[in-house]
Amino acid sequence: MAEREAWSSKTGFILASVGAAMGLGSIWMFPWRIGAYGGGAFLVPYFLFVFVLGVTGLMGEFAFGRSQQKGAVSAFENVFREKGNAGLGRTLGIIPVLGVSGVFTFYLIVCGWILKYFWLAVIGAFGRIDPGPYFGGFAGQAESIFWHALALILTLAIVIKGVSGGIEASNKIMMPGLFIILLILLVRSLTLEGAAEGIRFLTVPDWSKLGDPVTWVQALGQAFFTVSLGGAAMLVYGSYLRETEDIPSSAVHTAFWTTVASLLAAFVTIPSAFAFGQDPQAGPPLLFITIPYIFKTMTGGYIFGALFFLAVVFAAISSAINLMEVPVEAIMDRFNMSRIKASVLVAVLGFLVGIPLDINLNLFGKFADLVTIYIVPFGAVLASIVFFWVYGVERARAQVNKGAVKPLGPWWGYLAKYVFTGVALFILVMGIVMGGI
């Protein structure tokens, strides 16, 4: 059997993990959730959940993958083989892979929308269109299929080149580029007339919002989404880690830089929305309707619009390659298929399944809800139970501590086994009750 691929450096692994975790969750979802759930008050529970629970979950998924040197299907199978029931483990391991594959299917459609809007920014089209009606005439129409295919081709071209030559190498370009662009846009956003009101909105908490349970639940959901916990995506990246890598440090760095990117995106978009009289609580349309309107109106909007959507392209593709790697690794592992064949197969199947979603936004929404409300959170719960309970939390902690400069004490086992697993289950239940969080 060929030697398993591996990251060439800790920096490359962290950049790839930040790219996987960040994605559109940071650039798109995080700013509008702050706007919708109380501005600065939202950040209090969000920081708590990211750096306590999110980091714990990242350590678990990284260590689970590294300990088994496999993705979710074979990792689950190996753990249950010790209990004499490899078949059950294999079946359970398919669930998080299906969840991530489902996200990959609809996420690439959104990546196509991003590429379309980047193109509109480059050709200076924002000044000639009405953003609201334009988006409604593009998303859900046959025209979006081309951009969906283009997003898939770009993602496929990276994944085909492998872990170090494709995923790691591309993130070493995209992630620094994204942060540089966001910093440039930050300066422009904060110097707009009227931006001060947006800054206050983000930095002065409305403490009364902390009395609303919905704020806490949404912050919890965003925290899990921010670091991409679903039982397969970060697990497969962990499976390419060497035993000498420091998992606790890598998990903290991943959460920290993803949070920094999220905050930069918020301070780019929300003050700009205030400056141009737009609704910071616009929800998902913030990215495709509000932001194009701002660049349409802003002095120098052509340059800043192109830069902004280039940053969003980097965020979207960096996350897409992680989503694609999950089913690609599973097929390579289970069917002994080459990376090229497995990657092409996943791309073709994902595209064919996605075409009906391209032309029917109602179907798109139902499919996305099924995947993100039920399957992905269930996958996160399963991974937590299998690693911390079935494999054993003391063995799990030993795996996390391999290569760690500052090993974690027994307290971490209680946090992982009881608190993290319980909260993951809570997110699954609340997501079903609330129709998504």
Side-chain angles (χ1 to χ4, degrees):
M1 182 177 290
E3 183 179 352
R4 189 167 184 80
E5 297 177 83
W7 306 105
S8 68
S9 67
K10 177 180 177 179
T11 299
F13 167 65
I14 291 173
L15 288 173
S17 297
V18 170
M22 189 168 54
L24 295 178
S26 294
I27 304 296
W28 178 13
M29 188 179 294
F30 184 77
W32 77 254
R33 275 192 168 173
I34 290 181
Y37 296 104
F42 181 81
L43 296 176
V44 176
Y46 173 77
F47 286 150
L48 173 66
F49 294 141
V50 165
F51 288 102
V52 176
L53 297 175
V55 167
T56 300
L58 278 177
M59 291 181 194
E61 290 204 15
F62 288 160
F64 194 2
R66 186 177 69 176
S67 69
Q68 305 303 317
Q69 291 290 288
K70 297 288 185 181
V73 178
S74 288
F76 280 40
E77 182 181 48
N78 289 345
V79 169
F80 274 87
R81 181 176 289 113
E82 296 178 354
K83 309 296 181 182
N85 202 341
L88 175 61
R90 182 169 57 250
T91 302
L92 292 176
I94 292 172
I95 295 172
V97 172
L98 285 177
V100 173
S101 301
V103 175
F104 169 73
T105 301
F106 74 78
Y107 189 87
L108 266 290
I109 295 171
V110 181
C111 289
W113 300 349
I114 298 296
L115 289 175
K116 170 67 173 181
Y117 272 67
F118 173 58
W119 174 247
L120 292 175
V122 168
I123 64 175
F126 288 154
R128 304 191 300 269
I129 64 173
D130 185 340
Y134 186 87
F135 181 70
F138 166 68
Q141 305 300 319
E143 181 192 353
S144 67
I145 296 175
F146 167 79
W147 298 96
H148 176 197
L150 181 59
L152 262 172
I153 290 169
L154 289 174
T155 306
L156 174 63
I158 294 170
V159 173
I160 273 181
K161 293 184 177 181
V163 173
S164 61
I167 298 172
E168 184 175 348
S170 63
N171 276 289
K172 283 182 175 178
I173 296 171
M174 290 191 291
M175 288 303 98
L178 180 134
F179 278 95
I180 291 169
I181 292 171
L182 286 178
L183 287 171
I184 293 170
L185 292 170
L186 178 70
V187 173
R188 179 58 182 140
S189 173
L190 299 186
T191 55
L192 290 168
E193 184 178 351
E197 189 178 352
I199 298 171
R200 282 194 299 272
F201 181 78
L202 290 171
T203 57
V204 179
D206 177 359
W207 297 113
S208 67
K209 292 291 184 181
L210 296 183
D212 184 356
V214 174
T215 300
W216 291 81
V217 172
Q218 291 292 341
L220 181 59
Q222 181 65 34
F224 268 59
F225 192 90
T226 293
V227 293
S228 194
L229 295 177
M234 290 308 198
L235 190 153
V236 79
Y237 272 12
S239 74
Y240 301 126
L241 275 174
R242 304 180 196 277
E243 290 201 348
T244 53
E245 294 295 345
D246 188 331
I247 281 179
S249 172
S250 297
V252 170
H253 276 88
T254 299
F256 174 79
W257 288 110
T258 303
T259 300
V260 169
S262 299
L263 289 170
L264 286 174
F267 277 92
V268 166
T269 55
I270 300 298
S272 299
F274 273 95
F276 288 91
Q278 297 297 297
D279 182 9
Q281 303 182 53
L286 181 69
L287 185 60
F288 294 106
I289 297 174
T290 305
I291 294 297
Y293 175 83
I294 290 170
F295 291 127
K296 175 181 179 178
T297 313
M298 176 189 295
T299 301
Y302 169 76
I303 295 174
F304 294 110
L307 282 174
F308 177 82
F309 278 99
L310 177 59
V312 182
V313 167
F314 285 165
I317 297 298
S318 64
S319 191
I321 58 180
N322 172 248
L323 296 172
M324 186 175 188
E325 179 64 15
V326 171
V328 166
E329 187 277 342
I331 290 173
M332 289 169 60
D333 177 51
R334 304 309 301 185
F335 300 102
N336 199 26
M337 193 178 291
S338 71
R339 172 170 286 275
I340 292 177
K341 290 180 180 178
S343 300
V344 171
L345 177 62
V346 169
V348 170
L349 290 176
F351 181 64
L352 292 176
V353 174
I355 287 178
L357 311 182
D358 273 310
I359 56 178
N360 187 328
L361 283 184
N362 184 50
L363 184 61
F364 176 99
K366 290 180 178 179
F367 181 85
D369 284 347
L370 171 65
V371 172
T372 59
I373 295 174
Y374 297 92
I375 306 177
V376 171
F378 187 43
V381 171
L382 284 176
S384 180
I385 292 173
V386 172
F387 194 46
F388 299 138
W389 288 79
V390 181
Y391 183 72
V393 74
E394 284 306 310
R395 295 172 70 195
R397 184 167 67 89
Q399 292 293 340
V400 169
N401 283 336
K402 276 187 180 178
V405 174
K406 297 180 179 179
L408 301 169
W411 61 269
W412 186 86
Y414 293 101
L415 176 64
K417 184 175 182 178
Y418 299 106
V419 180
F420 178 81
T421 303
V423 170
L425 183 59
F426 174 78
I427 289 176
L428 171 62
V429 173
M430 290 304 297
I432 295 171
V433 171
M434 298 175 64
I437 59 174

